[in-house]
Amino acid sequence: MKAWRGHLLLLVLIGGLTGLHALNHRNESQLRGDLTGFLGTSKSPGNQLSSLALIADLHLLLNRPEPISTAEGQRITELLLASDDPLLREYALTTDLCRLSERAADQIPEIQEQRVLGTNPLPLDGPWWREYVTYRRKVGGKQVGGRKRLDNLELGWYRQALRGEDPPREALFEHLVKRVRDAHVGPIPRGQ
């Protein structure tokens, strides 16, 4: 019987975790109910829920088997990008919403591309760099230029941006120009 004690303990642990999950599980109607203030005509989307709770609810809702329409995904993206909260704006540039956005002929999500690269001249400040890295490097993939991983210099600038500092504008601009030139040279690395 001694050999089964560990197994019984693990079965009790699994049962407890399953029960805890069942108690905390919310179905789609509950998630949509929590998001009605955000999806409604509210001017300030973050008021009804905290930003982290809103992102958690959206992540759960957007990754359920029940499909969300492209129109609804587009509306959610527009509301997030219009928010005053940088966390909500950056979430709009993630995979959850990029895959629901209307796409150009070359499979680029239009609203996210316009947000990150649609201004002339580019801001090249800390908040823009965070959005650029989130969209271009982490999410967009080869369609939007994210063929290579972040190098140490880009990662250092990203850490600066997370601390609220701006990366050096001239060096950042030169680096981006060089990356664009190098983007079409050679094969796409494996796993990208």
Side-chain angles (χ1 to χ4, degrees):
M1 188 65 184
K2 284 186 175 184
W4 286 95
R5 286 183 187 166
H7 289 81
L8 288 176
L9 180 64
L10 289 174
L11 285 173
V12 168
L13 182 62
I14 289 171
L17 289 174
T18 304
L20 184 62
H21 173 72
L23 285 174
N24 291 328
H25 180 75
R26 293 181 291 164
N27 61 26
E28 184 177 351
S29 63
Q30 291 170 323
L31 288 171
R32 285 191 180 272
D34 288 347
L35 299 172
T36 53
F38 175 73
L39 297 174
T41 58
S42 172
K43 288 285 186 192
S44 179
N47 285 348
Q48 290 77 18
L49 294 171
S50 73
S51 296
L52 291 175
L54 178 63
I55 288 172
D57 286 354
L58 278 171
H59 178 72
L60 289 173
L61 187 63
L62 295 171
N63 288 290
R64 293 281 168 98
E66 301 84 20
I68 301 287
S69 70
T70 300
E72 190 174 15
Q74 193 79 7
R75 189 167 137 230
I76 291 170
T77 301
E78 289 169 356
L79 288 170
L80 288 171
L81 289 174
S83 172
D84 294 335
D85 189 347
L87 187 61
L88 294 177
R89 288 193 309 266
E90 286 182 36
Y91 182 69
L93 302 171
T94 61
T95 306
D96 287 347
L97 287 157
C98 281
R99 64 187 165 87
L100 289 173
S101 293
E102 294 176 6
R103 298 188 169 271
D106 50 1
Q107 296 300 309
I108 294 174
E110 291 178 346
I111 192 168
Q112 286 88 349
E113 184 81 6
Q114 181 65 29
R115 167 65 185 202
V116 175
L117 297 171
T119 58
N120 191 10
L122 294 174
L124 300 176
D125 58 1
W128 178 84
W129 181 247
R130 281 195 329 262
E131 289 179 356
Y132 178 86
V133 168
T134 299
Y135 170 67
R136 195 80 170 200
R137 295 288 183 221
K138 291 183 179 180
V139 174
K142 65 182 179 184
Q143 292 93 338
V144 297
R147 288 173 48 153
K148 298 179 180 177
R149 291 183 174 91
L150 292 174
D151 60 21
N152 286 335
L153 186 60
E154 291 173 328
L155 190 58
W157 290 335
Y158 187 66
R159 288 181 181 146
Q160 276 183 312
L162 289 175
R163 288 191 303 263
E165 303 168 8
D166 291 339
R169 289 180 62 88
E170 295 79 23
L172 178 59
F173 181 75
E174 289 172 14
H175 185 75
L176 290 175
V177 169
K178 181 181 181 302
R179 277 286 213 180
V180 168
R181 272 192 234 127
D182 294 344
H184 302 291
V185 177
I188 297 172
R190 289 183 65 171
Q192 296 289 311

